[in-house]
mmCIF file of all heavy atoms in Angstrom:
data_model
loop_
_atom_site.group_PDB
_atom_site.id
_atom_site.type_symbol
_atom_site.label_atom_id
_atom_site.label_comp_id
_atom_site.label_asym_id
_atom_site.label_seq_id
_atom_site.Cartn_x
_atom_site.Cartn_y
_atom_site.Cartn_z
ATOM 1 N N GLY A 1197 28.376 70.002 15.243
ATOM 2 C CA GLY A 1197 27.626 71.218 15.538
ATOM 3 C C GLY A 1197 27.557 72.155 14.347
ATOM 4 O O GLY A 1197 26.560 72.856 14.163
ATOM 5 N N GLY A 1198 28.616 72.177 13.525
ATOM 6 C CA GLY A 1198 28.579 72.972 12.305
ATOM 7 C C GLY A 1198 27.605 72.400 11.293
ATOM 8 O O GLY A 1198 26.897 73.132 10.594
ATOM 9 N N MET A 1199 27.543 71.076 11.211
ATOM 10 C CA MET A 1199 26.556 70.431 10.358
ATOM 11 C C MET A 1199 25.143 70.754 10.829
ATOM 12 O O MET A 1199 24.243 71.029 10.032
ATOM 13 C CB MET A 1199 26.785 68.923 10.368
ATOM 14 C CG MET A 1199 28.120 68.495 9.766
ATOM 15 S SD MET A 1199 28.594 66.800 10.212
ATOM 16 C CE MET A 1199 27.287 65.851 9.438
ATOM 17 N N THR A 1200 24.961 70.719 12.138
ATOM 18 C CA THR A 1200 23.674 71.079 12.729
ATOM 19 C C THR A 1200 23.288 72.504 12.352
ATOM 20 O O THR A 1200 22.132 72.784 11.996
ATOM 21 C CB THR A 1200 23.765 70.949 14.261
ATOM 22 O OG1 THR A 1200 24.009 69.575 14.595
ATOM 23 C CG2 THR A 1200 22.501 71.431 14.947
ATOM 24 N N THR A 1201 24.263 73.404 12.409
ATOM 25 C CA THR A 1201 24.029 74.807 12.071
ATOM 26 C C THR A 1201 23.647 74.955 10.602
ATOM 27 O O THR A 1201 22.676 75.657 10.269
ATOM 28 C CB THR A 1201 25.288 75.631 12.378
ATOM 29 O OG1 THR A 1201 25.586 75.530 13.778
ATOM 30 C CG2 THR A 1201 25.114 77.086 12.009
ATOM 31 N N HIS A 1202 24.390 74.291 9.713
ATOM 32 C CA HIS A 1202 24.040 74.382 8.297
ATOM 33 C C HIS A 1202 22.669 73.770 8.031
ATOM 34 O O HIS A 1202 21.897 74.284 7.204
ATOM 35 C CB HIS A 1202 25.104 73.696 7.435
ATOM 36 C CG HIS A 1202 24.875 73.883 5.970
ATOM 37 N ND1 HIS A 1202 24.545 72.855 5.122
ATOM 38 C CD2 HIS A 1202 24.908 75.008 5.201
ATOM 39 C CE1 HIS A 1202 24.382 73.325 3.894
ATOM 40 N NE2 HIS A 1202 24.602 74.621 3.912
ATOM 41 N N GLY A 1203 22.332 72.708 8.737
ATOM 42 C CA GLY A 1203 21.017 72.108 8.584
ATOM 43 C C GLY A 1203 19.883 73.060 8.928
ATOM 44 O O GLY A 1203 18.794 72.980 8.344
ATOM 45 N N LEU A 1204 20.134 73.982 9.844
ATOM 46 C CA LEU A 1204 19.099 74.917 10.269
ATOM 47 C C LEU A 1204 18.788 75.992 9.228
ATOM 48 O O LEU A 1204 17.747 76.660 9.311
ATOM 49 C CB LEU A 1204 19.508 75.588 11.587
ATOM 50 C CG LEU A 1204 19.344 74.706 12.827
ATOM 51 C CD1 LEU A 1204 20.190 75.229 13.976
ATOM 52 C CD2 LEU A 1204 17.874 74.635 13.237
ATOM 53 N N VAL A 1205 19.677 76.165 8.253
ATOM 54 C CA VAL A 1205 19.398 77.119 7.176
ATOM 55 C C VAL A 1205 19.109 76.402 5.861
ATOM 56 O O VAL A 1205 18.937 77.056 4.826
ATOM 57 C CB VAL A 1205 20.548 78.137 7.006
ATOM 58 C CG1 VAL A 1205 20.713 78.968 8.265
ATOM 59 C CG2 VAL A 1205 21.866 77.474 6.626
ATOM 60 N N THR A 1206 19.043 75.055 5.909
ATOM 61 C CA THR A 1206 18.767 74.286 4.689
ATOM 62 C C THR A 1206 17.713 73.207 4.939
ATOM 63 O O THR A 1206 16.525 73.447 4.803
ATOM 64 C CB THR A 1206 20.075 73.659 4.142
ATOM 65 O OG1 THR A 1206 20.687 72.848 5.166
ATOM 66 C CG2 THR A 1206 21.055 74.719 3.680
ATOM 67 N N ALA A 1207 18.143 72.017 5.326
ATOM 68 C CA ALA A 1207 17.246 70.856 5.375
ATOM 69 C C ALA A 1207 16.197 70.932 6.465
ATOM 70 O O ALA A 1207 15.091 70.398 6.314
ATOM 71 C CB ALA A 1207 18.084 69.578 5.540
ATOM 72 N N TRP A 1208 16.514 71.552 7.604
ATOM 73 C CA TRP A 1208 15.581 71.667 8.722
ATOM 74 C C TRP A 1208 15.491 73.134 9.114
ATOM 75 O O TRP A 1208 15.948 73.547 10.177
ATOM 76 C CB TRP A 1208 16.043 70.786 9.892
ATOM 77 C CG TRP A 1208 16.176 69.360 9.465
ATOM 78 C CD1 TRP A 1208 15.176 68.442 9.307
ATOM 79 C CD2 TRP A 1208 17.385 68.706 9.062
ATOM 80 N NE1 TRP A 1208 15.692 67.259 8.851
ATOM 81 C CE2 TRP A 1208 17.037 67.379 8.694
ATOM 82 C CE3 TRP A 1208 18.728 69.101 8.999
ATOM 83 C CZ2 TRP A 1208 17.992 66.466 8.251
ATOM 84 C CZ3 TRP A 1208 19.669 68.194 8.553
ATOM 85 C CH2 TRP A 1208 19.301 66.888 8.186
ATOM 86 N N PRO A 1209 14.896 73.952 8.249
ATOM 87 C CA PRO A 1209 14.996 75.405 8.397
ATOM 88 C C PRO A 1209 14.245 75.944 9.605
ATOM 89 O O PRO A 1209 13.173 75.462 9.975
ATOM 90 C CB PRO A 1209 14.388 75.925 7.093
ATOM 91 C CG PRO A 1209 13.466 74.828 6.634
ATOM 92 C CD PRO A 1209 14.132 73.553 7.056
ATOM 93 N N ASP A 1210 14.845 76.958 10.208
ATOM 94 C CA ASP A 1210 14.215 77.706 11.293
ATOM 95 C C ASP A 1210 14.240 79.172 10.876
ATOM 96 O O ASP A 1210 15.302 79.802 10.823
ATOM 97 C CB ASP A 1210 15.002 77.504 12.599
ATOM 98 C CG ASP A 1210 14.284 78.096 13.806
ATOM 99 O OD1 ASP A 1210 13.677 79.178 13.666
ATOM 100 O OD2 ASP A 1210 14.350 77.492 14.897
ATOM 101 N N ASP A 1211 13.057 79.708 10.552
ATOM 102 C CA ASP A 1211 13.014 81.037 9.956
ATOM 103 C C ASP A 1211 13.267 82.164 10.937
ATOM 104 O O ASP A 1211 13.248 83.341 10.564
ATOM 105 C CB ASP A 1211 11.702 81.257 9.196
ATOM 106 C CG ASP A 1211 10.467 81.201 10.089
ATOM 107 O OD1 ASP A 1211 10.601 81.163 11.334
ATOM 108 O OD2 ASP A 1211 9.345 81.189 9.538
ATOM 109 N N ARG A 1212 13.547 81.836 12.198
ATOM 110 C CA ARG A 1212 13.936 82.869 13.160
ATOM 111 C C ARG A 1212 15.415 83.222 13.038
ATOM 112 O O ARG A 1212 15.865 84.218 13.602
ATOM 113 C CB ARG A 1212 13.643 82.387 14.582
ATOM 114 C CG ARG A 1212 12.167 82.150 14.860
ATOM 115 C CD ARG A 1212 11.937 81.449 16.187
ATOM 116 N NE ARG A 1212 12.490 80.098 16.194
ATOM 117 C CZ ARG A 1212 12.366 79.250 17.214
ATOM 118 N NH1 ARG A 1212 11.703 79.626 18.303
ATOM 119 N NH2 ARG A 1212 12.872 78.027 17.147
ATOM 120 N N ILE A 1213 16.153 82.426 12.298
ATOM 121 C CA ILE A 1213 17.601 82.611 12.216
ATOM 122 C C ILE A 1213 17.943 83.735 11.249
ATOM 123 O O ILE A 1213 17.559 83.715 10.075
ATOM 124 C CB ILE A 1213 18.280 81.298 11.785
ATOM 125 C CG1 ILE A 1213 18.079 80.241 12.871
ATOM 126 C CG2 ILE A 1213 19.771 81.517 11.505
ATOM 127 C CD1 ILE A 1213 18.509 78.856 12.476
ATOM 128 N N ALA A 1214 18.677 84.718 11.762
ATOM 129 C CA ALA A 1214 19.128 85.851 10.952
ATOM 130 C C ALA A 1214 20.613 85.766 10.632
ATOM 131 O O ALA A 1214 21.087 86.465 9.736
ATOM 132 C CB ALA A 1214 18.834 87.161 11.676
ATOM 133 N N ALA A 1215 21.352 84.948 11.375
ATOM 134 C CA ALA A 1215 22.791 84.825 11.150
ATOM 135 C C ALA A 1215 23.235 83.434 11.555
ATOM 136 O O ALA A 1215 22.771 82.890 12.560
ATOM 137 C CB ALA A 1215 23.555 85.880 11.959
#
Side-chain angles (χ1 to χ4, degrees):
M1199 296 163 64
T1200 296
T1201 299
H1202 186 247
L1204 283 160
V1205 298
T1206 56
W1208 303 281
D1210 188 322
D1211 63 9
R1212 297 170 295 183
I1213 295 171

